[in-house]
Amino acid sequence: STSYDAGLYLYTAGSPKWIVGMRSAVGGDNDFNINYYDGSAWSEYSRIDTSGNATFAGDVMTPTSFQSTGGSNGSEVIPLKIRNGAGGGWGEGTAVSMEFVQGDSSGDAAGAKITSERANTYNGSTDNDSRLKFYTAQADAYVLALTIDQNQTATFAGALNASGITSTTGISAQN
């Protein structure tokens, strides 16, 4: 049973299906919630807490664009933060990805992707090394194009074409 201090119940055929409201006794201090009843159990689909933080159980989609004014961390503005909820202790290769898909009438097609992978198992604050991988699409499949590792070494999967390259630390080439 879900207990609400104030809420709007939406019914189908005499049975509750949705609750939109505020509850202080269950799950939070005056949080605003949207819950769905599937006939046997209630599931929380979204929550807005009193600090203005929003949590959604599924995808958040917009037909045009997403905008964020962001927060700040000292002098750095962070308009988008993607968090891997796996927690500490997860192994090397666990990743968070950002995909740029090409949508059409038959669904999403691969466009490009950036992943942030753990370079080792995270067990504390000093071993949180990561690498970035950049992918492009070929024949509707992601293909690795560039890897930047935790030592800032950039490895290109294909040819590197440049009209002029300048380096203060040296450039090496391998076959």
Side-chain angles (χ1 to χ4, degrees):
S1 158
T2 300
S3 173
Y4 276 77
D5 294 335
L8 172 66
Y9 287 76
L10 304 174
Y11 288 78
T12 301
S15 297
K17 286 293 183 185
W18 292 93
I19 298 175
V20 178
M22 185 218 31
R23 60 183 178 179
S24 61
V26 180
D29 183 17
N30 297 315
D31 292 350
F32 178 80
N33 299 269
I34 298 176
N35 290 277
Y36 175 74
Y37 186 68
D38 66 5
S40 63
W42 287 99
S43 298
E44 184 175 272
Y45 277 34
S46 68
R47 171 191 302 259
I48 302 173
D49 67 20
T50 56
S51 298
N53 298 314
T55 304
F56 299 91
D59 295 340
V60 177
M61 302 174 76
T62 175
T64 54
S65 67
F66 170 78
Q67 295 184 18
S68 171
T69 57
S72 66
N73 183 11
S75 62
E76 178 184 15
V77 175
I78 306 170
L80 176 65
K81 183 184 285 189
I82 303 172
R83 181 181 307 274
N84 180 347
W90 280 60
E92 177 178 354
T94 303
V96 174
S97 295
M98 180 169 52
E99 295 186 30
F100 304 88
V101 296
Q102 310 300 323
D104 60 19
S105 61
S106 63
D108 291 336
K113 178 170 72 169
I114 302 170
T115 63
S116 172
E117 290 183 352
R118 294 176 175 178
N120 51 40
T121 300
Y122 283 16
N123 289 314
S125 62
T126 61
D127 62 352
N128 294 347
D129 299 337
S130 66
R131 59 182 160 257
L132 286 175
K133 291 187 174 182
F134 295 80
Y135 297 81
T136 57
Q138 186 175 43
D140 201 26
Y142 291 117
V143 180
L144 181 63
L146 167 65
T147 301
I148 303 173
D149 71 13
Q150 66 271 23
N151 299 310
Q152 290 70 54
T153 300
T155 304
F156 292 85
L160 174 61
N161 298 314
S163 59
I165 299 176
T166 304
S167 173
T168 58
T169 59
I171 297 172
S172 64
Q174 300 175 357
N175 285 337

